[in-house]
Amino acid sequence: MTESSTAPRPTLEAVAARAGVSRATVSRVVNGGDGVREPLVERVRRAVDELGYVPNQAARSLVTRRHDAVAVVIAEPETRVFADPFFALQLRGISKELTAHDSQLVLLLTEGRDDHVRVGRYLAGGHVDGALVFSLHLDDRLPGLIHGAGVPTVYGGRPGWGDGTRGAVYVDSDNRGGAREAVRHLVALGRTRVAHITGALDQTSAVDRLDGFRDVMVDADPRLIVEGDFTPAGGERAMRELLDRCPELDAVFAANDLMASGALRVLRERGRRVPEDVALIGFDDMLPVAEQTDPPLTTVRQDIEEMGRLMARLLLRGLDRRSATEPAAAGSVAQSGLVGAPSSVVLPTTLVRRASA
Amino acid sequence: MTESSTAPRPTLEAVAARAGVSRATVSRVVNGGDGVREPLVERVRRAVDELGYVPNQAARSLVTRRHDAVAVVIAEPETRVFADPFFALQLRGISKELTAHDSQLVLLLTEGRDDHVRVGRYLAGGHVDGALVFSLHLDDRLPGLIHGAGVPTVYGGRPGWGDGTRGAVYVDSDNRGGAREAVRHLVALGRTRVAHITGALDQTSAVDRLDGFRDVMVDADPRLIVEGDFTPAGGERAMRELLDRCPELDAVFAANDLMASGALRVLRERGRRVPEDVALIGFDDMLPVAEQTDPPLTTVRQDIEEMGRLMARLLLRGLDRRSATEPAAAGSVAQSGLVGAPSSVVLPTTLVRRASA
DNA sequence: GTAGGATCGGGGAGCGCTCTCAACACCGCG
DNA sequence: CGCGGTGTTGAGAGCGCTCCCCGATCCTAC
């Protein structure tokens, strides 16, 4: 039977005693070991192993003010999130990158607006070295709170224009460009009555995709644009409305795959053949959805995992640089809290042609 | 422009000075405030507000040995996980419960076997008060490592029988009972040639569902049982094989909804009508999948979010009790590291009848 | 062989907090 | 009016670690 935490964990002191050196020497070895001669390093290493020594992070943070931990804030009030693998993929990317840098991932899920204050307080509390923030809605006050907390931050997706977002560093997909490409493809197919099911318009990604749609369909009949909400049910609803308003439409660009799948069901239900009667394009290339519909979905791919990885990389890089320049940089630390501000990144998208368009 | 972390955060000392009391008094107020007279409490509170004081968690942990943080370990080598909302839902449940207890969630995603050692080291490092572990595979050495780390742990799903699993506390669904109910339903429908697509048999949930199947189909034709892997593609593969082996089958119980959806596609492709020719039941009641197939899936529901919440609750309760009994309890601390070991919990499942069976 | 320089190791001072313990105040009761 | 008791407050000692600084050490070159 394990008596957990019964055995007091060995301290630096204990290791030092065992190896017959001073604490400082052990500390040096544990933290990289330069400046200590080989035989000693060896002896310390052995002592560490024998004792099963693991540094006490709390003690270390207390003096270094570093935590080797990054908060990931997912600000999603709706259950919706969990229906799509989006976050899981981002998390995976982030996790990989953080692990490679020996940083931990502290996950902050917010349920409602009240939670934002809690998150703000947590970040202000200096528990983490930085924050990665997702899924903002335009009216969120989170950026303001985060800004106030003064924690280096990278956003996933371009934040809105609210408080604290000016100069924020973010990683985003080329939503507008991707949308343009999708719609152009539909046009190239000879479709003339192209409709658009938007995402939830309180998110910049939805707005950008709508803009992309408009870039190509410059004077689109306003009846051909319906607001959705990124869910399959929303896609169904929107598709019904489109069909009612404008039965002669011959193509649909949905702002994500989930809505496209809903739209697809409605189209079939109403007896339209896809892609013969109506061509359909989604967005995301969410494999389990896009590949498994019938017909498989033509869609705009964004590399979600890579986005996560990149966010983490940007943050960590900024952090490193900051600690490197520590004393001098006070003045040049920008809004993001990152030195020499790594600028935002917009990743390209690619059109994946399957059967639906 | 925020100069992040430029202003040194106020310390207890500073608050004490401002309020004209001693550090100890401020500490008392900050930690609940009993034993301090009202006017003083008031004065300290004000000083805290004015200074924007936030306790330094590192310093606190250093002396209390508590971290108010729990690790969530997801041991999933395959990408598969991220295709289903399973973890997201569990995480949500866990997050809610932890938040209510002012605990943080440290997420540890493991990529491959090597990561297990890293995780073990992290847990042993005493960074967190406890751990919640998911998605074990039978041959995992993670339980052994965790056991060795001596961290109070609750497993999600019954762990296997390997090293360190004896006496482990877990939360699971009644996989076997749920499977039985599903199969009985098929039998009640008058189906006689009932097939089963199992999950990945290195996970206890898959094994248990198979056992439940066998409980009802006592002498099932072995050709009617095919091993799947919990993915839609695996479901397709398995369904093809079943159909080839045994074209006359009239019902299928798939060990999860994802595989059921794959099976459904194959059934349709081969011209079988569901449920007329072949009745189909899944497991999980994963809404985005189960409700959106055509026909919608009859399935066995398990309350995934509740499982997560329960795991967290069990862990936290054990932790509390442990710290309450601290000095005396050394001897009675069981395998799980939890005092007065809250025992494992198996949650009931319910059959959700939709159109597929 | 020894002086000089460069490098390495050890001692000690905290980081910010909690917690024990002693001092003190104030109450009621004898 | 004094004494014990109860209840508050303050002082101080660390928790385990890093990092600075100075003395010790080692090597090289003359």
Side-chain angles (χ1 to χ4, degrees), chain A residues 1-5 9 54 57-59 61-62 82 85 88 92 95-96 99 104-109 111 118 122 125 127 147 150 166 232 265 292 322 330 333-334 337, chain B residues 1-5 9 54 57-59 62 82 85 88 92 95-96 99 104-109 111 118 122 124-125 127 147 150 166 232 265 292 322 330 333-334 337:
Chain A
M1 294 294 127
T2 306
E3 248 97 87
S4 62
S5 84
R9 298 204 292 121
V54 187
Q57 185 62 38
S61 295
L62 185 56
F82 294 107
R92 190 193 184 75
S95 167
K96 277 185 186 165
T99 297
Q104 293 310 319
L105 191 172
V106 177
L107 188 64
L108 266 29
L109 259 28
E111 201 65 26
R118 175 176 63 82
Y122 181 77
H127 300 261
H147 184 182
R166 214 186 66 202
R265 263 194 303 280
Q292 318 251 343
R322 187 161 71 144
V333 179
Chain B
M1 296 291 127
T2 305
E3 249 96 89
S4 61
S5 82
R9 297 205 294 122
V54 186
Q57 186 61 40
L62 184 55
F82 294 107
R92 190 193 185 75
S95 168
K96 278 185 185 165
T99 297
Q104 293 310 319
L105 192 171
V106 178
L107 189 63
L108 266 29
L109 260 28
E111 200 67 25
R118 175 176 63 82
Y122 181 76
H127 300 262
H147 185 183
R166 212 186 67 199
R265 265 194 302 279
Q292 319 250 342
R322 187 160 73 144
V333 178

Coordinates of all heavy atoms in Angstrom, one line a residue, chain A residues 1-5 9 54 57-59 61-62 82 85 88 92 95-96 99 104-109 111 118 122 125 127 147 150 166 232 265 292 322 330 333-334 337, chain B residues 1-5 9 54 57-59 62 82 85 88 92 95-96 99 104-109 111 118 122 124-125 127 147 150 166 232 265 292 322 330 333-334 337:
Chain A
M1 N 0.8 -1.2 0.0 CA 0.0 0.0 0.0 C 0.9 1.3 0.0 O 1.7 1.4 0.8 CB -0.8 0.0 1.3 CG -1.9 -1.1 1.4 SD -3.2 -0.9 0.1 CE -3.1 -2.5 -0.6
T2 N 0.6 2.1 -0.9 CA 1.3 3.4 -0.9 C 0.8 4.3 0.2 O -0.4 4.5 0.3 CB 1.0 4.1 -2.2 OG1 1.3 3.3 -3.3 CG2 1.8 5.4 -2.2
E3 N 1.7 4.7 1.0 CA 1.3 5.8 1.9 C 1.7 7.1 1.2 O 2.8 7.5 1.4 CB 2.0 5.7 3.2 CG 1.1 5.3 4.4 CD 1.2 3.9 4.6 OE1 2.1 3.5 5.4 OE2 0.4 3.1 4.0
S4 N 0.8 7.6 0.4 CA 1.2 8.7 -0.4 C 1.7 9.9 0.5 O 1.1 10.1 1.6 CB 0.1 9.2 -1.3 OG -1.0 9.6 -0.5
S5 N 2.7 10.6 0.1 CA 3.2 11.7 0.7 C 3.6 11.5 2.1 O 3.7 12.4 3.0 CB 2.2 12.9 0.7 OG 1.3 12.7 1.8
R9 N 9.8 14.2 0.8 CA 10.6 14.2 -0.4 C 12.0 14.8 -0.1 O 12.1 15.7 0.7 CB 9.9 15.0 -1.5 CG 8.6 14.3 -1.8 CD 8.2 14.7 -3.2 NE 7.8 16.0 -3.3 CZ 8.4 16.9 -4.2 NH1 9.4 16.4 -5.0 NH2 8.0 18.1 -4.3
V54 N 13.4 15.3 -6.8 CA 12.7 16.2 -7.8 C 12.6 17.5 -7.2 O 12.2 17.7 -6.1 CB 11.3 15.6 -8.0 CG1 10.6 16.4 -9.2 CG2 11.3 14.2 -8.3
Q57 N 9.0 22.8 -7.2 CA 8.7 23.9 -8.1 C 8.3 25.1 -7.4 O 8.5 26.2 -7.8 CB 7.6 23.4 -9.1 CG 7.2 24.4 -10.1 CD 8.4 24.7 -11.0 OE1 9.2 23.8 -11.4 NE2 8.6 25.9 -11.4
A58 N 7.5 25.0 -6.3 CA 7.1 26.1 -5.5 C 8.2 26.9 -5.0 O 8.3 28.2 -5.2 CB 6.2 25.7 -4.4
A59 N 9.2 26.3 -4.5 CA 10.4 27.0 -4.0 C 11.1 27.7 -5.1 O 11.5 28.8 -5.0 CB 11.3 26.0 -3.2
S61 N 9.9 28.6 -8.0 CA 9.1 29.8 -8.6 C 9.2 31.0 -7.6 O 9.2 32.1 -8.1 CB 7.6 29.4 -8.7 OG 7.5 28.4 -9.6
L62 N 9.2 30.7 -6.4 CA 9.3 31.7 -5.4 C 10.4 32.7 -5.7 O 10.3 33.9 -5.6 CB 9.4 31.1 -4.0 CG 9.3 32.1 -2.8 CD1 8.0 32.9 -2.9 CD2 9.4 31.4 -1.5
F82 N -17.9 21.7 -27.5 CA -17.5 20.4 -27.3 C -18.0 19.4 -28.3 O -17.7 18.2 -28.3 CB -17.9 20.0 -25.9 CG -17.2 20.8 -24.9 CD1 -17.8 21.8 -24.2 CD2 -15.8 20.6 -24.7 CE1 -17.1 22.6 -23.3 CE2 -15.1 21.4 -23.8 CZ -15.8 22.4 -23.1
P85 N -14.3 19.0 -32.8 CA -12.9 18.7 -32.3 C -11.9 19.8 -32.4 O -10.8 19.6 -32.2 CB -12.5 17.6 -33.3 CG -13.7 17.4 -34.2 CD -14.6 18.5 -34.1
A88 N -10.0 20.4 -29.2 CA -9.1 19.3 -28.9 C -7.9 19.3 -29.7 O -6.8 19.1 -29.2 CB -9.9 18.0 -29.1
R92 N -4.0 19.9 -28.5 CA -3.0 19.0 -28.8 C -1.8 19.6 -29.3 O -0.6 19.4 -28.9 CB -3.6 18.0 -29.8 CG -2.7 16.8 -30.1 CD -3.2 16.1 -31.4 NE -2.5 14.9 -31.7 CZ -2.7 13.8 -31.0 NH1 -3.6 13.8 -30.0 NH2 -2.1 12.7 -31.4
S95 N -0.2 21.6 -26.5 CA 0.4 20.6 -25.5 C 1.7 20.1 -26.0 O 2.7 20.1 -25.3 CB -0.5 19.5 -25.3 OG 0.1 18.4 -24.6
K96 N 1.8 19.8 -27.3 CA 3.1 19.3 -27.8 C 4.2 20.3 -27.7 O 5.3 20.0 -27.2 CB 2.9 19.0 -29.3 CG 2.3 17.7 -29.6 CD 2.3 17.4 -31.1 CE 1.6 16.2 -31.5 NZ 1.3 16.1 -32.9
T99 N 5.1 21.0 -24.0 CA 5.9 19.9 -23.4 C 7.3 19.9 -23.9 O 8.2 19.7 -23.1 CB 5.3 18.5 -23.9 OG1 3.9 18.5 -23.4 CG2 6.1 17.4 -23.4
Q104 N 4.0 23.6 -18.4 CA 2.8 22.9 -18.1 C 1.6 23.7 -18.7 O 1.7 24.9 -18.9 CB 2.6 22.7 -16.6 CG 3.5 21.7 -16.0 CD 3.6 20.4 -16.9 OE1 2.6 19.9 -17.3 NE2 4.8 19.9 -17.1
L105 N 0.5 23.0 -18.9 CA -0.7 23.6 -19.5 C -1.8 23.7 -18.4 O -2.2 22.6 -17.9 CB -1.1 22.7 -20.6 CG -2.1 23.2 -21.6 CD1 -2.2 22.2 -22.8 CD2 -3.5 23.3 -21.0
V106 N -2.1 24.9 -18.0 CA -3.2 25.0 -17.1 C -4.4 25.4 -17.8 O -4.4 26.5 -18.5 CB -2.8 26.1 -16.0 CG1 -4.0 26.3 -15.0 CG2 -1.6 25.7 -15.3
L107 N -5.4 24.6 -17.7 CA -6.6 24.8 -18.5 C -7.7 25.6 -17.8 O -8.1 25.2 -16.7 CB -7.2 23.5 -19.0 CG -8.3 23.5 -20.0 CD1 -7.9 24.1 -21.3 CD2 -8.9 22.1 -20.2
L108 N -8.1 26.7 -18.4 CA -9.2 27.5 -17.7 C -10.4 27.5 -18.7 O -10.3 28.2 -19.7 CB -8.6 28.9 -17.6 CG -8.0 29.3 -16.2 CD1 -7.3 28.2 -15.5 CD2 -7.0 30.5 -16.4
L109 N -11.4 26.8 -18.3 CA -12.6 26.8 -19.1 C -13.6 27.8 -18.5 O -13.8 27.8 -17.3 CB -13.2 25.4 -19.0 CG -13.1 24.4 -20.1 CD1 -11.8 24.6 -20.9 CD2 -13.2 23.0 -19.6
E111 N -17.4 29.3 -18.1 CA -18.7 28.8 -18.3 C -19.6 30.0 -18.7 O -20.3 30.0 -19.7 CB -19.2 28.2 -17.0 CG -20.4 27.3 -17.2 CD -20.0 26.1 -18.0 OE1 -18.7 25.7 -18.0 OE2 -20.8 25.5 -18.7
R118 N -13.1 35.6 -12.6 CA -12.3 34.6 -12.0 C -11.0 34.4 -12.8 O -9.9 34.3 -12.2 CB -13.1 33.3 -11.9 CG -12.3 32.1 -11.4 CD -13.2 30.9 -11.2 NE -13.7 30.4 -12.5 CZ -13.1 29.6 -13.3 NH1 -11.8 29.3 -13.1 NH2 -13.6 29.2 -14.4
Y122 N -7.2 35.1 -11.7 CA -6.2 34.0 -11.7 C -4.9 34.5 -12.5 O -3.8 34.3 -12.0 CB -6.7 32.7 -12.3 CG -5.7 31.6 -12.3 CD1 -5.5 30.9 -11.2 CD2 -5.1 31.3 -13.5 CE1 -4.5 29.9 -11.2 CE2 -4.1 30.2 -13.5 CZ -3.9 29.6 -12.4 OH -3.0 28.5 -12.4
G125 N -2.9 36.9 -10.7 CA -2.3 36.3 -9.5 C -0.8 35.8 -9.8 O -0.2 35.3 -8.9
H127 N 0.3 33.2 -11.6 CA 0.5 31.7 -11.4 C 1.2 31.1 -12.6 O 1.7 30.1 -12.6 CB -0.8 31.0 -11.2 CG -1.6 31.5 -10.0 ND1 -1.6 30.8 -8.9 CD2 -2.4 32.6 -9.9 CE1 -2.4 31.4 -8.0 NE2 -2.9 32.5 -8.6
H147 N -5.6 42.1 -20.3 CA -4.8 43.2 -20.5 C -4.4 43.8 -19.1 O -3.2 44.0 -18.8 CB -5.5 44.2 -21.4 CG -4.6 45.4 -21.7 ND1 -5.0 46.4 -22.4 CD2 -3.3 45.6 -21.4 CE1 -4.1 47.3 -22.6 NE2 -3.0 46.8 -22.0
G150 N -1.9 42.1 -17.1 CA -0.5 42.2 -17.5 C 0.2 40.9 -17.7 O 1.4 40.8 -17.5
R166 N -6.2 46.0 -28.7 CA -5.3 46.8 -29.6 C -3.9 46.3 -29.5 O -3.3 46.2 -28.4 CB -5.3 48.3 -29.3 CG -5.2 49.2 -30.5 CD -5.1 50.6 -30.1 NE -3.9 50.9 -29.3 CZ -3.7 51.9 -28.5 NH1 -4.7 52.7 -28.3 NH2 -2.6 52.1 -27.9
P232 N -24.7 22.2 -36.4 CA -25.5 21.5 -37.5 C -26.9 21.9 -37.5 O -27.5 22.2 -38.5 CB -25.3 20.0 -37.0 CG -24.1 19.9 -36.2 CD -24.0 21.3 -35.5
R265 N -28.3 17.7 -45.1 CA -29.5 16.9 -44.7 C -30.8 17.6 -45.2 O -31.6 16.9 -45.8 CB -29.6 16.8 -43.2 CG -29.0 15.5 -42.7 CD -29.4 15.2 -41.2 NE -29.0 16.3 -40.3 CZ -27.8 16.5 -39.9 NH1 -26.8 15.6 -40.1 NH2 -27.5 17.5 -39.1
Q292 N -17.2 12.1 -43.9 CA -18.1 11.1 -43.7 C -19.5 11.4 -44.2 O -20.5 10.7 -44.0 CB -18.2 10.7 -42.3 CG -16.8 10.6 -41.7 CD -16.4 9.2 -41.4 OE1 -17.2 8.3 -41.3 NE2 -15.1 9.0 -41.2
R322 N 11.9 37.9 -23.4 CA 11.7 38.9 -22.4 C 12.7 38.6 -21.2 O 13.3 39.5 -20.7 CB 10.3 38.8 -21.8 CG 10.0 39.9 -20.9 CD 8.5 40.1 -20.7 NE 8.0 39.0 -20.0 CZ 7.0 39.1 -19.2 NH1 6.5 40.3 -18.9 NH2 6.5 38.1 -18.6
A330 N 12.1 47.1 -20.1 CA 10.8 47.6 -19.6 C 10.1 48.5 -20.5 O 8.9 48.4 -20.7 CB 11.1 48.3 -18.3
V333 N 8.3 46.9 -23.8 CA 7.4 45.8 -23.7 C 6.0 46.3 -24.2 O 5.5 47.2 -23.7 CB 7.2 45.3 -22.3 CG1 6.2 44.2 -22.2 CG2 8.6 44.8 -21.8
A334 N 5.6 45.6 -25.2 CA 4.3 46.1 -25.9 C 3.1 45.5 -25.2 O 3.2 44.7 -24.3 CB 4.3 45.7 -27.3
G337 N 2.7 42.1 -23.9 CA 3.5 41.7 -22.8 C 4.7 40.9 -23.3 O 5.5 40.4 -22.5
Chain B
M1 N -0.1 51.3 -23.1 CA 0.6 50.0 -23.3 C 0.9 49.4 -21.9 O 1.4 50.0 -21.0 CB 2.0 50.3 -23.9 CG 1.9 50.8 -25.3 SD 1.3 49.6 -26.5 CE 0.0 50.5 -27.3
T2 N 0.6 48.2 -21.8 CA 0.8 47.5 -20.6 C 2.3 47.2 -20.4 O 2.9 46.6 -21.3 CB 0.1 46.1 -20.5 OG1 -1.2 46.3 -20.7 CG2 0.3 45.5 -19.2
E3 N 2.9 47.6 -19.4 CA 4.2 47.0 -19.1 C 4.0 45.9 -18.2 O 4.0 46.0 -17.0 CB 5.1 48.1 -18.4 CG 6.2 48.6 -19.2 CD 5.8 49.9 -19.8 OE1 6.1 50.9 -19.2 OE2 5.3 49.9 -21.0
S4 N 3.8 44.7 -18.8 CA 3.4 43.6 -17.9 C 4.5 43.3 -16.9 O 5.7 43.4 -17.2 CB 3.2 42.4 -18.8 OG 4.4 42.1 -19.4
S5 N 4.1 43.0 -15.7 CA 4.9 42.5 -14.6 C 6.0 43.6 -14.3 O 7.0 43.3 -13.7 CB 5.6 41.2 -15.0 OG 6.8 41.4 -15.8
R9 N 4.4 43.2 -7.6 CA 3.2 42.9 -6.9 C 3.3 43.1 -5.4 O 4.3 42.8 -4.8 CB 2.7 41.5 -7.2 CG 2.4 41.4 -8.7 CD 1.5 40.3 -9.1 NE 2.0 38.9 -8.7 CZ 1.4 38.1 -7.9 NH1 0.3 38.5 -7.3 NH2 1.9 36.9 -7.7
V54 N -2.8 40.1 -4.3 CA -3.1 38.8 -4.7 C -2.0 37.9 -4.1 O -0.8 38.1 -4.3 CB -3.1 38.5 -6.2 CG1 -3.7 37.1 -6.5 CG2 -4.0 39.6 -6.9
Q57 N 1.0 32.3 -4.9 CA 0.7 30.9 -4.7 C 2.0 30.1 -4.4 O 1.9 29.1 -3.7 CB 0.0 30.4 -5.9 CG -0.5 29.0 -5.8 CD -1.5 28.8 -4.7 OE1 -2.4 29.7 -4.4 NE2 -1.4 27.7 -3.9
A58 N 3.0 30.5 -5.0 CA 4.3 29.7 -4.9 C 4.7 29.7 -3.4 O 5.0 28.7 -2.8 CB 5.4 30.3 -5.8
A59 N 4.7 30.9 -2.9 CA 5.1 31.0 -1.5 C 4.2 30.2 -0.6 O 4.6 29.6 0.4 CB 5.1 32.5 -1.1
L62 N 4.7 26.5 -0.9 CA 6.0 26.2 -0.3 C 5.8 25.7 1.2 O 6.4 24.8 1.6 CB 7.0 27.3 -0.3 CG 8.4 27.1 0.1 CD1 9.0 25.9 -0.6 CD2 9.3 28.3 0.0
F82 N -9.5 12.8 -30.3 CA -9.9 14.1 -30.6 C -11.0 14.2 -31.6 O -11.6 15.2 -31.9 CB -8.7 14.9 -31.1 CG -7.7 15.0 -30.0 CD1 -6.5 14.3 -29.9 CD2 -8.0 15.8 -28.9 CE1 -5.7 14.4 -28.9 CE2 -7.2 15.9 -27.8 CZ -6.0 15.2 -27.8
P85 N -16.1 13.8 -28.8 CA -16.3 14.8 -27.8 C -16.2 14.3 -26.4 O -16.4 15.0 -25.5 CB -17.7 15.3 -28.1 CG -18.2 14.6 -29.3 CD -17.4 13.4 -29.5
A88 N -13.8 16.1 -24.1 CA -14.2 17.5 -23.9 C -15.3 17.5 -22.9 O -15.3 18.4 -22.0 CB -14.7 18.0 -25.3
R92 N -15.1 19.2 -19.2 CA -16.0 20.2 -18.8 C -16.6 19.9 -17.4 O -16.6 20.8 -16.5 CB -17.2 20.2 -19.8 CG -18.1 21.4 -19.7 CD -19.3 21.0 -20.5 NE -20.3 22.1 -20.5 CZ -20.1 23.3 -21.2 NH1 -19.0 23.4 -21.9 NH2 -21.0 24.2 -21.2
S95 N -13.8 20.4 -14.9 CA -13.5 21.8 -14.7 C -14.5 22.5 -13.8 O -14.2 23.3 -12.9 CB -13.5 22.5 -16.1 OG -13.5 23.9 -16.0
K96 N -15.8 22.2 -14.0 CA -16.8 22.8 -13.2 C -16.6 22.5 -11.8 O -16.7 23.4 -10.9 CB -18.2 22.2 -13.6 CG -18.8 22.9 -14.8 CD -20.2 22.4 -15.0 CE -20.8 22.9 -16.3 NZ -22.0 22.1 -16.7
T99 N -13.4 24.2 -10.3 CA -13.6 25.6 -10.2 C -14.4 25.9 -8.9 O -14.0 26.8 -8.2 CB -14.4 26.1 -11.4 OG1 -13.6 25.9 -12.6 CG2 -14.6 27.6 -11.2
Q104 N -7.2 24.4 -9.6 CA -6.9 24.5 -11.0 C -6.7 23.2 -11.7 O -6.4 22.2 -11.1 CB -5.6 25.4 -11.2 CG -5.7 26.8 -10.8 CD -7.0 27.4 -11.4 OE1 -7.3 27.3 -12.5 NE2 -7.7 28.2 -10.6
L105 N -6.8 23.2 -13.0 CA -6.8 22.0 -13.8 C -5.5 22.0 -14.6 O -5.4 22.9 -15.5 CB -8.0 22.0 -14.7 CG -8.4 20.7 -15.4 CD1 -9.8 20.9 -16.0 CD2 -7.4 20.4 -16.5
V106 N -4.6 21.1 -14.3 CA -3.4 21.1 -15.1 C -3.5 19.9 -16.1 O -3.7 18.7 -15.6 CB -2.1 20.9 -14.2 CG1 -0.9 20.7 -15.1 CG2 -2.0 22.0 -13.3
L107 N -3.5 20.2 -17.4 CA -3.8 19.2 -18.3 C -2.5 18.5 -18.8 O -1.6 19.2 -19.3 CB -4.5 19.8 -19.5 CG -5.0 18.8 -20.6 CD1 -6.1 17.9 -20.0 CD2 -5.6 19.6 -21.7
L108 N -2.4 17.2 -18.7 CA -1.3 16.4 -19.2 C -1.7 15.5 -20.3 O -2.4 14.5 -20.1 CB -0.7 15.6 -18.0 CG 0.4 16.2 -17.2 CD1 0.4 17.7 -17.1 CD2 0.4 15.6 -15.8
L109 N -1.3 15.8 -21.5 CA -1.7 15.0 -22.7 C -0.5 14.1 -23.0 O 0.6 14.6 -23.1 CB -2.0 15.9 -23.9 CG -3.4 16.2 -24.3 CD1 -4.4 16.1 -23.1 CD2 -3.5 17.5 -25.0
E111 N 1.5 11.6 -25.5 CA 1.5 11.4 -26.9 C 1.9 9.9 -27.2 O 1.3 9.2 -27.9 CB 2.6 12.3 -27.6 CG 2.4 12.4 -29.0 CD 1.1 13.2 -29.3 OE1 0.6 14.0 -28.4 OE2 0.6 13.0 -30.4
R118 N 7.5 11.0 -18.3 CA 7.4 12.4 -18.0 C 6.3 12.7 -17.1 O 6.4 13.5 -16.1 CB 7.2 13.2 -19.4 CG 7.0 14.6 -19.2 CD 6.9 15.3 -20.6 NE 5.8 14.9 -21.4 CZ 4.5 15.4 -21.2 NH1 4.3 16.3 -20.3 NH2 3.6 14.9 -22.0
Y122 N 6.4 14.2 -13.3 CA 5.7 15.4 -13.0 C 4.8 15.2 -11.7 O 4.8 16.0 -10.8 CB 4.8 15.9 -14.1 CG 4.0 17.2 -13.8 CD1 4.7 18.4 -13.8 CD2 2.7 17.1 -13.5 CE1 4.0 19.6 -13.5 CE2 2.0 18.3 -13.2 CZ 2.7 19.5 -13.2 OH 2.0 20.6 -12.9
A124 N 5.2 12.9 -9.5 CA 6.0 12.7 -8.3 C 6.6 14.0 -7.8 O 6.9 14.1 -6.7 CB 7.1 11.7 -8.7
G125 N 6.7 15.0 -8.7 CA 7.3 16.2 -8.4 C 6.5 17.1 -7.4 O 6.9 18.1 -6.9
H127 N 3.6 18.7 -7.8 CA 3.1 20.0 -8.3 C 1.7 20.1 -8.1 O 1.1 21.2 -8.2 CB 3.4 20.1 -9.8 CG 4.8 20.0 -10.2 ND1 5.6 21.1 -10.4 CD2 5.6 18.9 -10.3 CE1 6.8 20.7 -10.7 NE2 6.9 19.4 -10.7
H147 N 1.2 5.2 -9.2 CA 1.2 4.6 -7.9 C 2.5 4.9 -7.2 O 2.6 5.3 -6.1 CB 1.0 3.1 -8.1 CG 1.0 2.3 -6.8 ND1 0.9 1.0 -6.7 CD2 0.9 2.8 -5.5 CE1 0.8 0.6 -5.5 NE2 0.8 1.7 -4.7
G150 N 2.9 8.2 -5.7 CA 2.2 8.4 -4.5 C 1.3 9.6 -4.5 O 1.1 10.3 -3.5
R166 N -4.5 -2.2 -8.4 CA -5.2 -2.8 -7.3 C -5.7 -1.8 -6.3 O -5.0 -1.0 -5.8 CB -4.3 -3.8 -6.6 CG -5.1 -5.0 -6.1 CD -4.2 -5.9 -5.2 NE -3.8 -5.3 -4.0 CZ -2.7 -5.6 -3.3 NH1 -2.0 -6.6 -3.7 NH2 -2.4 -5.0 -2.2
P232 N -15.0 5.5 -36.6 CA -16.0 5.2 -37.7 C -15.4 4.3 -38.8 O -16.1 3.4 -39.2 CB -16.2 6.6 -38.3 CG -15.9 7.6 -37.2 CD -14.8 6.9 -36.4
R265 N -23.3 3.4 -42.6 CA -22.9 3.7 -44.0 C -22.8 2.4 -44.8 O -23.2 2.3 -45.9 CB -21.6 4.5 -44.0 CG -21.9 6.0 -44.1 CD -20.6 6.7 -44.5 NE -19.5 6.4 -43.5 CZ -19.4 7.0 -42.4 NH1 -20.2 7.9 -42.0 NH2 -18.4 6.7 -41.6
Q292 N -27.8 12.7 -35.5 CA -27.7 13.2 -36.9 C -27.5 12.1 -37.9 O -27.4 12.5 -39.1 CB -26.5 14.2 -37.0 CG -26.5 15.1 -35.8 CD -26.9 16.5 -36.1 OE1 -26.9 16.9 -37.2 NE2 -27.2 17.3 -35.1
R322 N -8.2 13.9 3.8 CA -6.9 13.6 4.2 C -6.2 14.7 5.0 O -5.6 14.5 6.0 CB -6.0 13.3 2.9 CG -4.7 12.9 3.3 CD -4.1 12.2 2.1 NE -3.7 13.1 1.1 CZ -2.6 13.0 0.4 NH1 -1.8 12.0 0.5 NH2 -2.3 13.9 -0.5
A330 N -1.8 8.4 8.7 CA -0.8 7.8 8.0 C -1.0 6.3 7.7 O -0.9 5.9 6.6 CB 0.5 8.0 8.7
V333 N -4.1 5.4 5.1 CA -4.1 5.9 3.7 C -4.0 4.7 2.7 O -3.0 4.0 2.8 CB -3.0 6.9 3.4 CG1 -3.0 7.3 2.0 CG2 -3.1 8.0 4.4
A334 N -5.0 4.5 2.0 CA -5.0 3.4 1.1 C -4.3 3.6 -0.2 O -3.8 4.7 -0.5 CB -6.4 2.9 0.8
G337 N -4.3 6.7 -2.2 CA -3.8 8.0 -1.6 C -4.9 8.8 -1.0 O -4.7 9.9 -0.5

